[in-house]
């Protein structure tokens, strides 16, 4: 497997998120959404979402902690 420090950090982050979600994909996605909302708020960013087969992806809803 090809590896670089950046890829190792990505793999480690994904592994940590998976463990935090107890291997539940729905919880993994929910946790990821919370992190993205926190990043948007902290850094004043706004992420935009692409289109899938003519449909648009809805922005993440506000999740309460």
């Amino acid at each position: 497997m090809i590896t670089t420090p950046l890829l190792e950090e990505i793999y480690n982050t994904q592994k940590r998120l998976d463990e935090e979600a107890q291997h539940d994909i729905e919880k993994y996605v929910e946790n990821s959404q919370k992190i993205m909302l926190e990043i948007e708020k902290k850094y004043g960013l706004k992420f935009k979402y692409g289109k899938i087969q003519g449909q648009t992806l809805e922005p993440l809803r506000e999740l309460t902690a």
Side-chain angles (χ1 to χ4, degrees), residues 1-59:
M1 178 165 91
I2 297 173
T3 186
T4 66
L6 178 59
L7 286 175
E8 286 183 27
E9 185 64 30
I10 291 169
Y11 298 147
N12 290 336
T13 300
Q14 290 173 334
K15 183 178 178 180
R16 179 181 52 80
L17 290 171
D18 180 52
E19 290 169 355
E20 288 175 5
Q22 300 174 339
H23 313 294
D24 179 337
I25 189 65
E26 290 180 8
K27 187 69 175 168
Y28 181 100
V29 171
E30 182 180 322
N31 291 345
S32 297
Q33 289 178 336
K34 286 180 183 179
I35 291 168
M36 294 304 296
L37 289 171
E38 290 168 5
I39 290 171
E40 283 185 339
K41 187 174 182 178
K42 181 176 181 178
Y43 296 103
L45 300 172
K46 183 63 183 162
F47 294 100
K48 296 186 179 184
Y49 305 91
K51 296 180 180 179
I52 296 180
Q53 299 175 346
Q55 299 176 357
T56 59
L57 296 174
E58 295 296 321

